Amino acid sequence: VLFRSMELGLTKAQASRAIARFPQLLSCNVESKLTPTVKWLNELGLARDEIAKVVAAAPQLLGCSLDGNLKPTADWLEAAGLSRSQLAKAIWLHPSLLTYSVEKNLKPKVAFLRRFLSKTDVCLLIATFPVALGYSAKRFQERATALRSAGNLSPYTLKRAVSMTPERFEAKYPSA
């Protein structure tokens, strides 16, 4: 695994952290699990150094089923409107995005966002701030509703608002 990590461009420190975060990595089959996932990430448009960052940040991706988890999630995001380059950028920025449940997380949140933003703006939000999909639906709803009421709803303002602490958000939008 350490040899393969060097092929990925991981430093020894990154490889050690990846194994510490996901010890099951040591038992993953290189030929049937690791290599196909890395090849697929490359086919999505991620460069070698970007794949190294993805693996270092979320080594559990290498333990996920490519056909049962990763590809269906990526396919759904593309069907929702993300271009291939937007998808690659979102994965590079927040690799855990590929581990989110399509049915329980992505579909409801994207549907909710589409009530407030255009399809293009939803895709822009996901591509530039994919971690937003990790926030609760309630948080999205509260923040989007407050921004809309203030006449200030855009992907950029929602991105900022959803990441604010409750105290900071309340101070900026007291009527929320």
Side-chain angles (χ1 to χ4, degrees), residues 56-132:
Q60 71 276 13
L61 288 181
L62 296 177
C64 292
S65 167
L66 185 57
D67 292 323
N69 297 99
L70 304 178
K71 282 183 179 180
T73 302
D75 289 347
W76 188 87
L77 287 163
E78 281 188 302
L82 268 74
S83 67
R84 183 58 63 99
S85 64
Q86 286 177 318
L87 178 61
K89 181 178 181 179
I91 293 166
W92 180 75
L93 289 171
H94 188 59
S96 294
L97 176 65
L98 289 175
T99 66
Y100 291 172
S101 166
V102 169
E103 294 300 320
K104 294 179 182 176
N105 187 324
L106 299 177
K107 276 186 183 179
K109 287 181 184 167
V110 169
F112 171 78
L113 288 169
R114 287 295 310 277
R115 291 182 22 219
F116 290 90
L117 301 169
S118 70
K119 183 177 183 177
T120 300
D121 284 345
V122 170
C123 292
L124 178 64
L125 177 68
I126 294 169
T128 60
F129 192 59
V131 72

Side-chain angles (χ1 to χ4, degrees), residues 31-52:
E31 297 308 316
S32 67
K33 195 85 161 161
L34 304 181
T35 301
T37 301
V38 169
K39 182 180 177 192
W40 175 74
L41 288 168
N42 183 253
E43 289 168 359
L44 283 179
L46 281 91
R48 183 174 180 255
D49 62 321
E50 293 169 329
I51 294 170

Side-chain angles (χ1 to χ4, degrees), residues 130-171:
V131 72
L133 294 175
Y135 289 107
S136 73
K138 179 181 177 192
R139 185 180 189 117
F140 262 117
Q141 184 172 2
E142 290 170 352
R143 307 293 167 99
T145 301
L147 289 169
R148 179 184 261 177
S149 295
N152 194 21
L153 180 62
S154 75
Y156 305 106
T157 57
L158 185 57
K159 178 174 138 175
R160 284 193 310 260
V162 79
S163 62
M164 289 179 183
T165 64
E167 297 78 18
R168 186 164 174 229
F169 182 77
E170 180 60 33

